[in-house]
Amino acid sequence: HWNLTGRYEIIMEKKGYFFKKEKKAGGKKLNHNGYLDYEIPLHWIAEEDGDTLTVYDPDGEGAMTASFYNMLADRSIDEQITVMAKKFTEQNAITVDKSMFFIHGGAEKTVLHATGITQDKWFVKLWVAAKKPKIVMITYQSQKKTKEIEKCDAIIESMRFSV
């Protein structure tokens, strides 16, 4: 079954104990501009156009779009990604479902994420991932929320900054 992080769990029972083996949803290991490693499912496509990256399942419901930025030296990571997320949702008239919250990934990255609905009633999920001095803003849009979002979450989880 798929758990909330988009990883596949195989649970085996042996002598009354449960052993878990997690397998990432990805398969293709990729890199953007020498500083961001990430993994996507084997049949998914990643297209780069300058400083924009689009990732999607050709038979899927929606697409992820990533834009890349440099941090301001005089602000904290939390402050910068919060301001970026709020500005994006306001400028694009996205009604956020729940308040935004952080996932602290330790030394690897800090991620803020939120879900919402556009004025056209499309589902949108926003992630802002950062590790000094880089920020990546990623959006996923589809006509409705589907299980495909779990694979998108796994892609975000796989991201590693090499800075």
Side-chain angles (χ1 to χ4, degrees), residues 25-43:
K28 282 192 255 184
K29 293 183 180 189
L30 302 170
N31 180 279
H32 176 78
N33 283 349
Y35 69 83
L36 182 69
D37 296 315
Y38 62 99
E39 193 171 334
I40 64 173
L42 287 174
H43 65 285

Side-chain angles (χ1 to χ4, degrees), residues 14-107:
K14 183 178 181 183
K15 295 184 181 181
Y17 297 98
F18 286 92
F19 298 93
K20 290 184 181 180
K21 181 179 180 184
E22 291 188 352
K23 183 177 179 184
K24 290 185 180 178
K28 282 192 255 184
K29 293 183 180 189
L30 302 170
N31 180 279
H32 176 78
N33 283 349
Y35 69 83
L36 182 69
D37 296 315
Y38 62 99
E39 193 171 334
I40 64 173
L42 287 174
H43 65 285
W44 282 45
I45 296 171
E47 296 176 347
E48 293 191 37
D49 181 19
D51 230 15
T52 302
L53 170 68
T54 304
V55 177
Y56 61 95
D57 177 348
D59 299 317
E61 305 292 327
M64 296 174 75
T65 303
S67 299
F68 301 86
Y69 305 91
N70 289 313
M71 285 189 178
L72 301 172
D74 62 341
R75 295 203 181 143
S76 72
I77 290 175
D78 290 1
E79 180 184 2
Q80 288 185 67
I81 65 177
T82 300
V83 168
M84 289 180 77
K86 285 182 178 180
K87 186 182 279 189
F88 179 83
T89 56
E90 289 169 6
Q91 289 176 345
N92 292 283
I94 296 169
T95 303
V96 178
D97 289 340
K98 300 175 183 173
S99 62
M100 295 181 201
F101 56 95
F102 291 98
I103 297 175
H104 292 282

Side-chain angles (χ1 to χ4, degrees), residues 138-154:
I138 307 112
T139 57
Y140 170 83
Q141 290 190 41
S142 61
Q143 284 189 309
K144 60 183 179 178
K145 183 177 180 179
T146 67
K147 288 190 175 203
E148 187 171 76
I149 196 65
E150 294 172 4
K151 292 182 182 178
C152 298
D153 284 331

